[in-house]
Amino acid sequence: MSFFRKLFFLLVIVNAAFLGYDYYQGGEIAFNLVENAKNLDKQQLTDYLTQLKSTTPEQLAGHVNNAFAQLKNVNSFNDVLEFVRQKTGGLSSGGANTIEYDGNVLVLTDANFKTVVDGSKPALVEFYAPWCGHCKNLAPVYAELADSYAHQKDHVIIAKIDADQHRQTGSLYGVQGFPTLKWFPKGVDSPNGVEDYHGGRDLNSLASFVHQKSGISPRIRAQKSDVVALDTKSFHEVVLNPKKHVFVEFYASWCGHCKNLAPIWERLGHTFANEENVVIAKIDADKEKDIGQEFQIEGFPTIKYFPAGAANPIAYSGARSEAAFVKFLNENAGTKRTVGGGLESDAGRISELDELVSRFMKEQGKREEIHKEAQDVAKKVGTRYANYYAKIMEKMLTNGDKFLETEKQRLSKISKSDDVSSSKLDDFNIRQNILASF
């Protein structure tokens, strides 16, 4: 017994030191724990004990996996402290009747879940974790789903809950991984009768499911696709164009993984829509079997990159996220894109002219001479952005350095306007990148 007594007192001392350090640093972990205890009613305690007793080995393994996944973000003692603050603070903040929206997605918590999902209307609920990559990919699609049912908020619920933070609810509904989507039919307010969603994670699949279950029609805005749909007739003409870098998804209409990839591929098409030499394409290789056989497609989805002028494609084996695709294309096609369609801060910059800019700003007595050098380089390079370097130097020689600040403010104001097309925005961003070199 003496060993366990010593262990007990050691744990008490460690906890006291931890809570004391948090308080010294301005935290409120101890206060939040007390408030959580005060707010814990008999029903909540009964539910928790019931869940604990009914925990299966599979559920326990899921909790362990989730815990290890979170350890990836813990690199110091302060990370541990911040993690505990978030968990305890999240429990005591907000009352049971507090309801918030993220766009048109209703945000649920342990406190308000039973109040909102009370059986009065059907609900689709996403159980997610903030650190989960698949959840991040689903987020924009789920937001679009909520937008498509925004006109029927009084009749159907599209909601989400951070089940990593609000574990009581996640455990109650047997959530073992993220994201998990569950359908709550009208009249259901407990685990009995709740249905798991196993369909595709694209907008059409999700909207079709909600429509089928609820009878309520969505309002999906028609969107122009920037992905080129190929068939046997058009494939070689597009993919083997010596002036184009072509990124192709070989898919099958029945493939679940392909359906999950679909919204990401559409966003990738949008991201590279303004790149004249890059094509984001797709082909149903299950339907167009000759193409599938020619390129030895054995599973779906298969992604291949066809470099401009190259004889053979490169098999893509990286992550299936927009960020990974963008990184791959930037490295292989020489583009400077960011996720969402923006440009990197060095897009449009020319190193030889950057060096002349550095001299132009430092050696004021030689500015006329450096300007002439810049004009010669611009003629050699032969692009309008090379000429823009020389033009800025010319304006500064005429109007002084104040022109630089005026031009920066002008372009910044234009770039923030809602009336600017995406192609024009690229142009303004490149000009701003060049101005940043001065």
Side-chain angles (χ1 to χ4, degrees):
M1 285 296 293
S2 61
F3 169 77
F4 290 104
R5 186 179 297 111
K6 289 178 180 178
L7 179 61
F8 173 77
F9 282 115
L10 177 62
L11 291 174
V12 170
I13 292 170
V14 169
N15 278 293
F18 181 81
L19 295 176
Y21 179 78
D22 171 65
Y23 180 78
Y24 177 75
Q25 294 291 324
E28 296 182 337
I29 293 176
F31 171 79
N32 288 333
L33 287 172
V34 172
E35 288 300 306
N36 293 336
K38 288 180 180 178
N39 294 329
L40 188 65
D41 58 31
K42 182 179 179 180
Q43 184 59 47
Q44 286 178 310
L45 186 59
T46 302
D47 290 344
Y48 179 76
L49 292 173
T50 301
Q51 294 160 24
L52 194 62
K53 290 178 182 178
S54 61
T55 299
T56 65
E58 291 80 9
Q59 289 173 324
L60 182 60
H63 293 322
V64 172
N65 288 335
N66 292 339
F68 275 108
Q70 293 175 70
L71 289 177
K72 295 178 182 178
N73 300 320
V74 176
N75 300 305
S76 67
F77 178 76
N78 285 333
D79 289 338
V80 176
L81 194 65
E82 185 60 31
F83 175 78
V84 177
R85 285 173 178 172
Q86 290 176 0
K87 295 303 179 185
T88 57
L91 291 170
S92 62
S93 60
N97 296 321
T98 302
I99 298 175
E100 297 180 355
Y101 281 88
D102 181 2
N104 284 309
V105 179
L106 200 154
V107 180
L108 300 173
T109 65
D110 280 339
N112 68 18
F113 193 95
K114 289 185 178 181
T115 303
V116 176
V117 186
D118 60 356
S120 61
K121 48 192 159 187
L124 180 67
V125 180
E126 176 200 2
F127 295 80
Y128 75 98
W131 45 262
C132 164
H134 293 298
C135 302
K136 292 175 182 178
N137 289 336
L138 177 61
V141 180
Y142 204 70
E144 288 184 69
L145 177 69
D147 291 343
S148 70
Y149 278 97
H151 66 295
Q152 294 286 356
K153 278 184 179 179
D154 292 338
H155 303 287
V156 64
I157 296 169
I158 306 298
K160 65 181 180 180
I161 180 169
D162 180 350
D164 183 48
Q165 177 176 344
H166 302 281
R167 295 191 176 188
Q168 180 180 331
T169 302
S171 178
L172 178 62
Y173 289 97
V175 175
Q176 299 178 35
F178 304 113
T180 292
L181 294 167
K182 290 182 179 286
W183 176 255
F184 293 72
K186 186 175 181 178
V188 172
D189 61 353
S190 69
N192 295 326
V194 176
E195 304 173 28
D196 287 331
Y197 173 78
H198 298 294
R201 293 176 187 169
D202 59 287
L203 178 59
N204 288 333
S205 296
L206 288 164
S208 177
F209 175 83
V210 175
H211 173 61
Q212 177 189 354
K213 292 294 183 179
S214 67
I216 299 171
S217 299
R219 290 179 181 173
I220 301 177
R221 297 177 181 176
Q223 294 182 337
K224 171 183 171 291
S225 176
D226 293 306
V227 175
V228 177
L230 302 173
D231 56 23
T232 301
K233 292 181 179 179
S234 64
F235 188 89
H236 293 91
E237 180 182 354
V238 174
V239 170
L240 302 182
N241 186 327
K243 296 182 180 180
K244 304 286 186 180
H245 302 282
V246 187
F247 206 29
V248 183
E249 176 203 3
F250 297 82
Y251 72 96
S253 57
W254 46 261
C255 166
H257 292 298
C258 302
K259 292 177 181 178
N260 291 339
L261 177 61
I264 300 172
W265 205 249
E266 285 296 327
R267 294 200 299 275
L268 185 69
H270 172 74
T271 293
F272 284 88
N274 291 333
E275 293 290 343
E276 295 181 359
N277 298 324
V278 175
V279 177
I280 308 301
K282 65 179 181 181
I283 183 169
D284 185 342
D286 183 51
K287 179 180 178 182
E288 309 290 340
K289 294 186 183 296
D290 288 344
I291 297 295
Q293 291 175 1
E294 179 181 350
F295 291 95
Q296 301 177 337
I297 305 304
E298 298 178 347
F300 304 108
T302 292
I303 300 169
K304 291 181 181 288
Y305 172 68
F306 295 77
N312 298 308
I314 299 171
Y316 176 83
S317 58
R320 294 176 186 167
S321 65
E322 185 182 354
F325 291 140
V326 170
K327 183 175 184 291
F328 176 86
L329 285 171
N330 284 343
E331 292 174 350
N332 288 275
T335 50
K336 296 284 186 178
R337 288 290 161 186
T338 60
V339 171
L343 287 168
E344 294 181 351
S345 59
D346 60 343
R349 296 274 288 270
I350 302 167
S351 58
E352 190 174 356
L353 286 165
D354 281 345
E355 291 176 8
L356 289 175
V357 167
S358 179
R359 287 177 51 203
F360 184 85
M361 298 303 291
K362 292 177 181 177
E363 304 172 23
Q364 296 197 14
K366 296 183 179 181
R367 283 189 170 184
E368 292 278 0
E369 177 186 333
I370 297 170
H371 173 232
K372 289 179 182 178
E373 288 183 52
Q375 287 179 316
D376 291 339
V377 173
K379 286 181 182 179
K380 182 179 68 175
V381 175
T383 67
R384 60 174 176 159
Y385 294 117
N387 290 327
Y388 187 65
Y389 277 89
K391 181 180 177 181
I392 294 300
M393 290 182 184
E394 181 183 340
K395 292 287 187 181
M396 290 177 68
L397 286 171
T398 303
N399 303 310
D401 287 7
K402 64 180 181 180
F403 169 78
L404 193 62
E405 190 60 33
T406 302
E407 182 69 355
K408 286 181 179 179
Q409 291 177 359
R410 184 182 75 87
L411 290 180
S412 178
K413 183 177 181 181
I414 294 174
S415 299
K416 293 175 182 177
S417 171
D418 294 332
D419 298 329
V420 179
S421 66
S422 59
S423 59
K424 280 290 184 183
L425 185 60
D426 278 354
D427 177 56
F428 292 135
N429 285 337
I430 290 175
R431 291 172 185 268
Q432 287 179 303
N433 288 348
I434 293 171
L435 286 174
S437 68
F438 282 83

